[in-house]
Amino acid sequence: MQMTDDSSPWLIVGLGNPGPEYAGNRHNVGFMVADLLAERMGAKFKAHKASRAQVVEGRLGAPGPSGRRVVVAKPMSFMNLSGGPTAALRDFYKVPAGRVIAVHDELDIDYGTLRLKLGGGDNGHNGLKSITKALGPDYCRVRFGIGRPPGRMPVADFVLKDFSSTERKDLGYEVDRAADAVESLIVDGLERAQSTYNT
């Protein structure tokens, strides 16, 4: 697994659906984390011609040249087609799979819980399914827990609903923590980041 080639940037892909009607959805928490990382870099997203994505290029971690080179991306292809833009960006920036990080919502962990991992299955997540089909499974994931739908609500309806008013009280903090976890993964490595954030 190539995770230490410092000549290539990290590619951080926040998963979500484009358009204002989806902006506050649980399924769009990857976009929320990507937006915060761009804000931390003091940069604005721009359309990337070689892929159907918006990107920001810059550095995260320590200020100045010791920061890690990153490309933060939001695929504009809708969730279930995220693999195409991700593969196009990987090829364009020459990023090894171990330096690709997908930030996504996760049904099987409680709201506000984070899990960082390398590789694994897609757990029924259509965005991951598409990325795995395009890249193979050996990329990093930052999983943001959204919990399971209440009662008999279909999963598709649950993920395409906005966070509840109770969840929104802590959402800013949780998104901030997820962005910290991404930075830790890049700067400190997966194992140290896991020991800090896999609560």
Side-chain angles (χ1 to χ4, degrees):
M1 187 54 50
Q2 194 177 1
M3 293 187 75
T4 53
D5 173 12
D6 283 333
S7 65
S8 62
W10 288 80
L11 174 59
I12 302 158
V13 183
L15 297 186
N17 287 309
E21 67 272 35
Y22 299 107
N25 289 179
R26 292 181 177 91
H27 225 18
N28 268 45
V29 75
F31 273 19
M32 296 174 197
V33 175
D35 286 338
L36 180 56
L37 289 168
E39 197 179 301
R40 289 181 180 185
M41 292 191 290
K44 294 207 180 314
F45 280 97
K46 293 180 180 152
H48 187 263
K49 291 187 175 69
S51 68
R52 290 182 63 200
Q54 291 186 350
V55 302
V56 164
E57 295 179 48
R59 290 183 182 274
L60 285 171
S66 58
R68 302 293 199 276
R69 278 181 65 217
V70 299
V71 177
V72 180
K74 297 192 293 186
M76 294 286 113
S77 56
F78 287 95
M79 179 69 83
N80 59 355
L81 298 172
S82 300
T86 303
L89 290 167
R90 174 205 57 189
D91 294 345
F92 183 85
Y93 291 102
K94 299 179 172 53
V95 180
R99 279 191 174 226
V100 176
I101 303 171
V103 185
H104 64 93
D105 58 305
E106 177 60 61
L107 287 159
D108 280 346
I109 49 181
D110 292 337
Y111 173 72
T113 300
L114 295 175
R115 291 278 186 278
L116 282 64
K117 63 185 271 196
L118 172 64
D122 56 59
N123 209 20
H125 192 289
N126 287 331
L128 293 184
K129 204 174 286 185
S130 180
I131 292 175
T132 297
K133 191 174 175 188
L135 304 188
D138 296 328
Y139 56 93
C140 298
R141 300 104 191 272
V142 173
R143 304 158 72 201
F144 186 109
I146 60 168
R148 282 265 160 201
R152 296 186 174 183
M153 182 190 289
V155 164
D157 292 346
F158 179 69
V159 299
L160 292 176
K161 282 198 182 325
D162 286 3
F163 286 97
S164 71
S165 54
T166 307
E167 289 167 338
R168 282 199 298 272
K169 286 178 187 155
D170 299 322
L171 185 58
Y173 168 78
E174 302 299 354
V175 168
D176 195 61
R177 200 164 151 269
D180 288 347
V182 171
E183 290 206 45
S184 176
L185 172 53
I186 290 166
V187 174
D188 303 321
L190 180 63
E191 284 183 23
R192 277 185 65 187
Q194 283 174 324
S195 68
T196 304
Y197 291 98
N198 282 17
T199 47

